[in-house]
Amino acid sequence: MSNDLFASKIIPVIVINDVQDAVSTAEALQAGGQSVLEITLRTPAGLESIRQLSSNSELIVGAGTVTDVDSAETAIAAGAKFLVSPGISLDIVQFAKSAGIPIIPGCVTPSEIMGALDLGLEILKFFPANVYGGISALKALAGPFPNVQFVPTGGVNADNLSQYLNLPNVKAIGGSWMATSKLIQDHQFETITQLTREAIAIVKNSELVNSNE
């Protein structure tokens, strides 16, 4: 699962306000070449959206904004294949591990990262990346934590995507610019597909550049 989860190097962060938009949004992302997506639990439609999309065997759907064990449990029951939390919680991590579900908790300070390592986690969300130092912070953290891989989220977009992907300690990035709430609400699904294609192209170009260095 972990290899599939990070294969595209992108995890779109999707906020669904109307569950009727869930399938169309996922299809727009798929048309652009993206099969992994994170549905946040920030809205009442989040859980049902996960439930609807989990029946699509070509998608890897995770739950984001998981802030307690109850929401982790209901998300997994709805079909979530991975969990993402804004911070790190011992209870949530232990529950996810007992359920055999990958979890990516948010960690930005050395103490939080060390706590995650104590729990056996080496792939962590770096959120909000633009607030906590972004690329320069990730470069600094690479020294004391050479085995930790990060998924920076927050302020990542097409303009700085390649810069993040060029960092050796970045496993993937999370972002919402490909399918913003406004694009979804306005049913701009063709735009979502185009933005997704552009993001995938940036990833492939970055991989090509790094392989030639």
Side-chain angles (χ1 to χ4, degrees):
M1 166 63 75
S2 60
N3 289 334
D4 292 338
L5 178 55
F6 302 111
S8 70
K9 302 288 188 180
I10 300 176
I11 302 177
V13 180
I14 310 300
V15 179
I16 301 288
N17 290 293
D18 185 342
V19 71
Q20 294 184 11
D21 294 331
V23 171
S24 296
T25 301
E27 288 176 344
L29 289 163
Q30 278 187 288
Q34 181 67 32
S35 60
V36 177
L37 61 151
E38 170 192 335
I39 302 292
T40 76
L41 301 182
R42 300 176 192 176
T43 69
L47 196 63
E48 181 57 31
S49 296
I50 292 171
R51 185 173 288 110
Q52 286 193 14
L53 298 180
S54 65
S55 62
N56 185 337
S57 61
E58 296 181 356
L59 291 175
I60 300 176
V61 182
T65 322
V66 177
T67 56
D68 53 53
V69 172
D70 286 345
S71 55
E73 186 172 11
T74 53
I76 292 171
K81 298 298 189 296
F82 65 95
L83 304 177
V84 183
S85 57
I88 186 163
S89 160
L90 174 62
D91 290 341
I92 296 174
V93 171
Q94 288 181 332
F95 175 79
K97 293 181 82 169
S98 69
I101 297 292
I103 180 165
I104 312 170
C107 298
V108 294
T109 68
S111 294
E112 290 171 342
I113 295 166
M114 290 173 67
L117 288 171
D118 287 342
L119 296 173
L121 300 175
E122 293 186 341
I123 300 176
L124 308 173
K125 179 178 181 177
F126 190 78
F127 171 81
N130 58 333
V131 173
Y132 286 102
I135 291 168
S136 60
L138 289 167
K139 287 181 178 179
L141 290 169
F145 304 110
N147 297 323
V148 175
Q149 295 281 290
F150 293 96
V151 181
T153 307
V156 183
N157 53 51
D159 294 332
N160 58 21
L161 175 58
S162 61
Q163 293 176 276
Y164 275 101
L165 292 174
N166 288 337
L167 299 177
N169 61 342
V170 167
K171 185 74 170 177
I173 64 91
S176 59
W177 82 94
M178 293 172 288
T180 64
S181 294
K182 180 168 176 43
L183 286 173
I184 294 170
Q185 288 172 351
D186 292 347
H187 292 177
Q188 297 295 310
F189 299 119
E190 290 184 4
T191 301
I192 291 173
T193 295
Q194 180 59 34
L195 291 172
T196 303
R197 284 187 182 132
E198 291 172 0
I200 295 294
I202 292 171
V203 171
K204 290 181 178 178
N205 184 64
S206 178
E207 290 176 336
L208 180 61
V209 169
N210 290 334
S211 67
N212 290 331
E213 290 181 351

